[in-house]
Amino acid sequence: MSLTIVNSSKPIKTETLIIGTMENHAPQGLNEGVDQQISDLIRLGDLTGKKGEITILYPSQQAVKRVILCGLGSETKVNLEVIRQATAQALKKAEALKCKNVMIDLESFLVGELDMQAVAQAVGLTATLNQYHYDTYKPEKDHRLAISLSFSKPQQIRQAVQTGMAIGEGANFARDLGDRPPNTLYPEQLAREAQRMCRQYPKLSIKIIKKPELEKAGFGGLLAVGQGSKRPPVFIEITYRGGKAGAAPIALVGKGITFDSGGLSLKPGERMDEMRFDMCGAAAVLGIMQAAAATNLKQNLVAMISSAENMPGGNAYRPGDVVTTLSGKTIEVLNTDAEGRIILADALTMAVKRRPSCIIDFATLTGAVIIALGHIASGLMSNRDTLATSLIAAGQASGDKVWQLPLWDDYRDLISSDKADVANMAKERGAGTIAAAAFLEKFVNDIPWAHLDIAGTAWGQTNPIYGKGVTGAGVRLVMTWLLNPNF
Ligand code: BES
Ligand code: ZN
Ligand code: ZN
């Protein structure tokens, strides 16, 4: 990752300079021989500063070859999401122009009431997200941009930029895991990647539980889902020691289905390839653990990841099976495609054993959440309104949005079973996302818990801060929530 901070009071030299512009405010004193061009453009009405506007100028002077002006809109409406999107659009433009290096003029983004540190973090994050390209199997040459940030007092923003970069790198780690094809990223490989990441940080320790031990310990849910595949399931447990010894940790739980064929309740062929992304919950958890370690978060965390491949092999679990989970609770399997909740049951049980202060789970759990919220916000369901409210606020602040769906008793009835403690599918159509959450709730033993259904947001977003593919949804949200004591 190449992102340097430079002092703007020194003479600048860059191929491309990025400057934020606002409605009714002409950028001034650029000393790049562009002031005249800017006033001409404003006079002609070609430069307004409105949100999303991108204008390119070519100064005659040699130190800067081009200037990209990106509109931030009106001063009263500007917020961090506007800054993130404008930065992303300008960087995309620079990339399209095949620029090799760009400099972002941070001062031009310090508008309205915005806090300097928050803007520095937002730009550091956006620049880092922009650097992510998944091209392992089809490398594109020379598309990496070297990005620098110029600011008059570099020391004052260094820390904030680094925090933004660490969150962005956590999200990029999650994105890379998500984008990998399922023939190379299967459960044991996911565990190896997790192990490789943990080795880089002394405060992270990892335990990988393989199939024989899963059998001994009674991970009935994870084993049932994994038994139709030649590739064995694994359980990944990571501990981050950043807080006081003995202080209750926050538990992060992830769904790591490396490919979801649906099992015997086979999915239709159309877009089945997207089910390689069904481990994005696990990837988000790993991204957060990395970012927590990189930012030296002062809290204890535990991560619990169930990983399996859901396949219809000869030994596959069947609709009609009754599965005994690690908790001892039994599940009636009505549809093998509702597998995420079954593997999460065991992961939640593992989380509960650590007596966490709260549990947050991340899962590409239901297609229904895409109907409800599209690719804009993740679905949030919780057994504590205070926890939900703080996550919604972190969602608004970070731009990694979440919206709450209710978890009333009426919905809890949907998953009752007369053959087991719970059924893995609702008996009526509708409210599929909430029914899944009601199922998960059975395994959290009334510990404060929030469930994030990221099926719509983990990929397929059109937000300019992401390129094609996986987004790392959940990483920015929860890192913002963890780092900011106000949430
Ligand atoms: N991984 C899918 C959910 C999914 C679907 C994510 C589409 C992203 C896009 C999950 O395992 C699943 O298949 N859920 C079923 C549940 C149903 C059988 C109760 C669903 O949503 O259809
Ligand atoms: Zn499924
Ligand atoms: Zn799934």
Side-chain angles (χ1 to χ4, degrees):
M1 165 71 204
S2 155
L3 178 61
T4 47
I5 304 173
V6 298
N7 192 329
S8 57
S9 46
K10 303 229 169 86
I12 51 171
K13 187 166 170 12
T14 181
E15 188 188 353
T16 300
L17 182 65
I18 294 175
I19 296 177
T21 53
M22 264 179 310
E23 280 169 13
N24 309 319
H25 278 276
Q28 282 167 341
L30 296 171
N31 294 330
E32 306 305 336
V34 292
D35 284 5
Q36 185 57 45
Q37 283 185 44
I38 287 177
S39 38
D40 290 346
L41 284 166
I42 292 173
R43 192 165 33 79
L44 289 166
D46 293 1
L47 178 65
T48 62
K50 71 170 187 280
K51 212 163 78 174
E53 182 186 69
I54 296 279
T55 311
I56 305 169
L57 304 176
Y58 298 90
S60 45
Q61 206 182 306
Q62 286 305 304
V64 177
K65 285 197 193 139
R66 57 170 95 67
V67 177
I68 299 179
L69 300 173
C70 53
L72 305 175
S74 98
E75 187 168 352
T76 51
K77 291 204 188 121
V78 74
N79 58 31
L80 292 176
E81 186 61 7
V82 171
I83 302 287
R84 284 186 288 259
Q85 300 217 0
T87 312
Q89 276 157 340
L91 288 171
K92 279 226 164 78
K93 190 76 206 176
E95 235 175 279
L97 293 168
K98 299 203 167 35
C99 295
K100 294 271 187 306
N101 66 75
V102 298
M103 184 181 285
I104 302 173
D105 171 23
L106 204 61
E107 245 111 21
S108 67
F109 289 93
L110 292 178
V111 298
E113 307 274 285
L114 292 177
D115 170 60
M116 177 175 76
Q117 310 289 337
V119 171
Q121 183 178 320
V123 174
L125 170 95
T126 311
T128 307
L129 290 175
N130 173 270
Q131 304 267 293
Y132 174 75
H133 297 268
Y134 183 76
D135 63 0
T136 306
Y137 295 96
K138 200 180 172 192
E140 288 172 34
K141 285 191 200 99
D142 293 338
H143 63 196
R144 297 279 188 293
L145 265 179
I147 306 175
S148 56
L149 303 181
S150 76
F151 193 63
S152 54
K153 299 176 201 103
Q155 287 312 329
Q156 290 189 3
I157 55 153
R158 199 168 295 277
Q159 177 88 45
V161 172
Q162 275 164 2
T163 302
M165 286 171 68
I167 299 171
E169 276 159 13
N172 287 350
F173 177 45
R175 297 167 84 185
D176 180 62
L177 291 171
D179 276 326
R180 288 187 198 204
N183 55 335
T184 66
L185 194 91
Y186 43 89
E188 289 186 333
Q189 189 58 29
L190 179 70
R192 274 193 282 272
E193 297 297 340
Q195 197 163 37
R196 208 202 312 242
M197 183 275 286
C198 289
R199 277 199 205 113
Q200 293 168 31
Y201 301 95
K203 287 185 185 166
L204 288 175
S205 56
I206 181 165
K207 185 173 162 201
I208 294 166
I209 309 178
K210 294 206 173 177
K211 196 174 167 213
E213 292 164 79
L214 292 173
E215 282 167 346
K216 248 184 261 159
F219 283 70
L222 179 55
L223 287 162
V225 171
Q227 74 191 36
S229 168
K230 290 218 158 173
R231 282 150 171 178
V234 293
F235 191 83
I236 306 167
E237 188 178 332
I238 304 173
T239 304
Y240 171 70
R241 291 180 186 82
K244 290 202 185 78
I250 293 171
L252 308 174
V253 171
K255 168 179 173 181
I257 294 289
T258 59
F259 186 71
D260 182 10
S261 69
L264 288 172
S265 313
L266 194 65
K267 284 183 180 295
E270 200 186 335
R271 295 171 69 163
M272 199 204 267
D273 64 293
E274 292 188 357
M275 287 300 119
R276 67 186 183 280
F277 300 140
D278 211 19
M279 34 56 70
C280 282
V285 170
L286 293 172
I288 294 166
M289 295 306 273
Q290 178 187 298
T295 54
N296 203 18
L297 182 81
K298 299 278 182 254
Q299 286 192 55
N300 294 330
L301 304 176
V302 291
M304 299 290 177
I305 293 169
S306 280
S307 182
E309 189 180 45
N310 188 20
M311 297 292 272
N315 193 39
Y317 79 137
R318 295 149 288 255
D321 283 2
V322 174
V323 172
T324 303
T325 60
L326 185 63
S327 65
K329 291 199 173 86
T330 52
I331 300 172
E332 182 188 9
V333 179
L334 294 176
N335 188 318
T336 62
D337 196 12
E339 84 297 339
R341 61 199 78 181
I342 300 177
I343 66 164
L344 285 172
D346 287 349
L348 290 166
T349 301
M350 287 297 281
V352 166
K353 287 188 187 185
R354 300 288 282 269
R355 300 179 184 277
S357 57
C358 70
I359 303 175
I360 304 178
D361 78 70
F362 304 74
T364 48
L365 206 58
T366 65
V369 80
I370 312 176
I371 309 292
L373 299 169
H375 299 284
I376 310 287
S378 304
L380 163 69
M381 284 133 279
S382 177
N383 58 357
R384 296 289 192 291
D385 277 342
T386 45
L387 177 59
T389 308
S390 69
L391 283 166
I392 293 167
Q396 306 284 31
S398 64
D400 190 355
K401 298 187 193 72
V402 293
W403 202 248
Q404 192 179 8
L405 300 174
L407 199 47
W408 295 317
D409 279 342
D410 316 56
Y411 293 112
R412 293 186 176 97
D413 296 341
L414 290 174
I415 45 153
S416 65
S417 162
D418 49 17
K419 297 181 190 63
D421 292 320
V422 63
N424 84 326
M425 202 177 82
K427 45 178 175 280
E428 290 169 26
R429 285 178 75 89
T433 301
I434 304 176
F439 176 100
L440 297 179
E441 193 190 20
K442 297 245 175 216
F443 297 89
V444 300
N445 289 16
D446 205 38
I447 291 171
W449 152 81
H451 158 58
L452 298 169
D453 193 333
I454 59 170
T457 48
W459 72 96
Q461 293 200 41
T462 51
N463 188 326
I465 74 167
Y466 307 116
K468 268 185 274 175
V470 173
T471 61
V475 177
R476 295 197 289 134
L477 166 79
V478 171
M479 280 312 296
T480 304
W481 181 79
L482 286 168
L483 288 170
N484 191 331
N486 298 329
F487 293 128

